[in-house]
Amino acid sequence: LPQLREWLDRLAPVVAEARASLAGARPGKLALRTGCERDSAGNYHLAFFWRDYVISADDFAVRRADTGAETPSFTQSLILIYLVTADGTTPSGRWVSFRELPGGMFYASAFQGYAGNRLAVELARLPGSGIDAFRRGAERLGGEPLEVGDAGYAFRVLPCIGLAVVYWRGDEEFPSQVQVLFEDTAAHYLPIDGLAILGSQLVGHI
């Protein structure tokens, strides 16, 4: 997506500043603010989209916990921006649309296009019922069922950021619709463009 490339281009200096800022943070407070766990060496551990990562306490390099391999710059960027943005606000469990997030109004239409609408179109192309395919995809990822729409699931994609995806079944007049929702505390952990990337990634996983 062009939005991803544009976001990554803007991130290089931000990531460098993030590493410098994190280096001066008090380890215990950083772990508390971000929901990370720490090991005996002082390194930080978190799960990001169902994969475990280790963040070095020395240089804040991000590596996969299972292989020790350094992660691509895109994933490193998201995790480091999360760490430096996190302020420890308790996740709310209250769901809002993208446009209701701080700064989300301007990007809401574009976000719906490459997130909810994209998933609705892909589900419509599959054989059988779109809602059944949606349920299979969401449950395969361990989504927690929600009583929203005709089918809805919540996902914890970072320790303190929850997203939900909701499906509304269409009829003869209107096509089925899908919307990505966010905890209303999500902006305490990532800026609005980072949250848009998370929503797009979650749709891709489903």
Side-chain angles (χ1 to χ4, degrees):
L1 291 171
Q3 292 91 344
L4 300 187
R5 176 52 51 195
E6 180 184 341
W7 193 70
L8 282 174
D9 290 343
R10 295 203 310 269
L11 271 188
V14 176
V15 168
E17 290 175 14
R19 280 201 166 100
S21 175
L22 291 167
R26 293 176 62 180
K29 284 192 173 182
L30 179 59
L32 206 59
R33 289 201 324 262
T34 60
C36 288
E37 297 180 0
R38 296 177 68 206
D39 60 25
S40 58
N43 299 318
Y44 303 90
H45 293 248
L46 59 71
F48 177 51
F49 279 111
W50 312 286
R51 178 169 283 168
D52 295 327
Y53 293 90
V54 181
I55 302 97
S56 168
D58 296 327
D59 58 3
F60 288 91
V62 182
R63 293 179 171 83
R64 284 181 52 169
D66 55 351
T67 65
E70 193 159 345
T71 61
S73 58
F74 176 68
T75 300
Q76 292 219 35
S77 298
L78 280 167
I79 290 175
L80 290 173
I81 298 301
Y82 168 79
L83 294 180
V84 80
T85 304
D87 66 6
T89 297
T90 302
S92 67
R94 293 187 297 271
W95 302 109
V96 297
S97 67
F98 186 81
R99 70 172 56 248
E100 295 173 270
L101 294 170
M105 180 70 74
F106 182 77
Y107 301 104
S109 179
F111 174 72
Q112 179 62 26
Y114 61 73
N117 292 355
R118 176 164 63 100
L119 181 55
V121 168
E122 291 297 326
L123 291 170
R125 290 174 177 163
L126 297 174
S129 167
I131 195 169
D132 290 339
F134 172 69
R135 287 184 174 126
R136 286 195 301 271
E139 290 170 2
R140 177 177 52 84
L141 297 174
E144 179 183 342
L146 294 175
E147 292 185 3
V148 183
D150 293 303
Y153 293 87
F155 305 86
R156 182 67 49 186
V157 300
L158 276 163
C160 297
I161 298 182
L163 274 67
V165 186
V166 181
Y167 185 102
W168 285 273
R169 201 194 310 259
D171 55 27
E172 294 81 5
E173 295 186 40
F174 299 101
S176 297
Q177 295 185 12
V178 176
Q179 187 175 22
V180 178
L181 303 177
F182 299 79
E183 284 182 300
D184 65 2
T185 49
H188 290 270
Y189 291 91
L190 273 180
I192 192 65
D193 43 5
L195 294 173
I197 300 299
L198 292 191
S200 177
Q201 285 191 301
L202 178 56
V203 162
H205 281 288
I206 293 175

